Amino acid sequence: MQISRILVSACSTLIQYLVAKHLGFGHIRRTDVIQKHTRPLAQQLMVNYDLIKAIIMLDGTYVYIQKSHNNILQRRTFSLHKGKPLVKPMMIVSSDGYIAAALGPYFADGKNNDSEITKNLLYNNIEGFRHWLNPGDVVVVDRGFRDCLTDLQEFGYDTKMPLFMKKDQKQYTTDEANKTRSITKVRWVIESANGRVKQWRFFNNVVPNTMIEKIGSYFEIVCALINCYRPVFVKDTSKDKEIAEKILQLAGETN
């Protein structure tokens, strides 16, 4: 019991004094993300060096949990995609890998796929998301967000997602392949940010059911610690302009 009280007290203190200063839309201004946490490569490829537009990436990650004897909880946490029970935090990351916010976790059933979580974020204005972003800002996502693209666009955001091949299409055209590569060139940092969180043993293993209620708080603490003490993924941007110009030059050429 003493150890349990110490953990609760430590978690509460970290949430109050660490997380509040290093995670969430309230800890960093949109203009700071544009000026301090946006790669020139992303600006060139996504917004053509428009310095007034923010570029963010959304992606869900997985935290595996034990199988529950509670039938309702087991059904809501069982992922048909992964074939295991899990919960899903959602991360919002800038183009240099800085974690702007972490939301959730959410259940893993069909009502909480990436698109539905994003719709909830939009329509309920979670953590002031709509007030933090401006119309015209760029939201980069993967194909799992295809069902919420229209919703994002209705709120005025510019969406970037790797393309789907059409029915009976065996490969991308040159233009389609190059557009998809450009998005992937910018978006890889959010996958790396997810991987950095999984380096913590708590999230890399199956979480006991007794700890499910703490997953959200622990996830926020780990993201805040990464922001505070770990360097961003992209530290050297000196060649970004040169690389972006080369990508755009080759994008117009045939294979």
Side-chain angles (χ1 to χ4, degrees):
M1 292 297 292
Q2 182 68 19
I3 294 176
S4 177
R5 286 195 295 268
I6 291 172
L7 287 174
V8 170
S9 178
C11 180
S12 176
T13 301
L14 288 170
I15 290 290
Q16 182 178 356
Y17 294 103
L18 177 72
V19 174
K21 293 182 180 180
H22 297 284
L23 188 72
F25 296 120
H27 93 283
I28 188 170
R29 294 179 300 176
R30 171 182 168 277
T31 52
D32 289 333
V33 168
I34 296 173
Q35 296 169 6
K36 300 176 182 179
H37 294 290
T38 301
R39 291 186 66 186
L41 175 70
Q43 287 179 329
Q44 176 69 337
L45 295 180
M46 299 291 105
V47 296
N48 193 25
Y49 276 128
D50 191 336
L51 301 180
I52 64 171
K53 291 185 179 181
I55 302 170
I56 62 167
M57 279 151 279
L58 275 65
D59 196 21
T61 187
Y62 306 106
V63 178
Y64 294 106
I65 62 174
Q66 288 180 327
K67 182 177 180 180
S68 175
H69 294 294
N70 183 309
N71 184 55
I72 296 176
L73 179 62
Q74 175 62 13
R75 291 182 64 180
R76 298 219 61 189
T77 58
F78 187 80
S79 169
L80 291 175
H81 174 59
K82 294 293 184 178
K84 297 178 182 179
L86 54 88
V87 291
K88 299 176 61 175
M90 174 71 73
M91 298 178 69
I92 295 99
V93 176
S94 68
S95 58
D96 69 348
Y98 187 83
I99 305 170
L103 309 175
Y106 299 88
F107 289 121
D109 57 4
K111 298 179 181 179
N112 289 286
N113 56 37
D114 288 340
S115 292
E116 293 302 319
I117 293 171
T118 304
K119 289 178 183 178
N120 177 58
L121 174 66
L122 279 172
Y123 291 106
N124 293 313
N125 196 25
I126 305 297
E127 288 196 17
F129 177 79
R130 295 205 315 267
H131 298 151
W132 191 82
L133 278 185
N134 284 353
D137 287 341
V138 176
V139 180
V140 184
V141 295
D142 64 17
R143 295 181 181 92
F145 291 78
R146 59 189 177 276
D147 293 332
C148 69
L149 291 184
T150 302
D151 300 272
L152 287 165
Q153 292 162 3
E154 285 180 354
F155 282 96
Y157 306 127
D158 184 10
T159 57
K160 304 289 184 181
M161 184 187 75
L163 300 176
F164 281 96
M165 284 192 288
K166 300 179 180 66
K167 186 178 180 181
D168 297 327
Q169 184 180 4
K170 295 184 178 180
Q171 69 179 44
Y172 289 123
T173 64
T174 300
D175 183 58
E176 289 172 341
N178 288 334
K179 286 181 179 178
T180 296
R181 291 188 188 107
S182 296
I183 295 170
T184 304
K185 186 71 176 176
V186 172
R187 192 187 166 278
W188 67 269
V189 291
I190 194 167
E191 303 290 353
S192 297
N194 285 338
R196 183 173 276 185
V197 173
K198 295 297 179 63
Q199 290 176 355
W200 293 71
R201 186 176 299 178
F202 180 84
F203 292 110
N204 195 37
N205 296 320
V206 176
V207 176
N209 285 342
T210 55
M211 302 294 290
I212 289 178
E213 292 182 353
K214 299 295 184 183
I215 289 175
S217 296
Y218 289 173
F219 197 88
E220 290 181 346
I221 290 170
V222 168
C223 289
L225 287 169
I226 291 171
N227 281 344
C228 184
Y229 296 109
R230 297 291 298 275
V232 293
F233 284 101
V234 184
K235 293 177 285 186
D236 183 11
T237 60
S238 59
K239 295 184 178 181
D240 270 18
K241 184 176 180 180
E242 177 184 345
I243 294 171
E245 289 176 353
K246 186 69 172 179
I247 290 173
L248 293 175
Q249 177 188 345
L250 294 175
E253 297 181 4
T254 57
N255 290 343

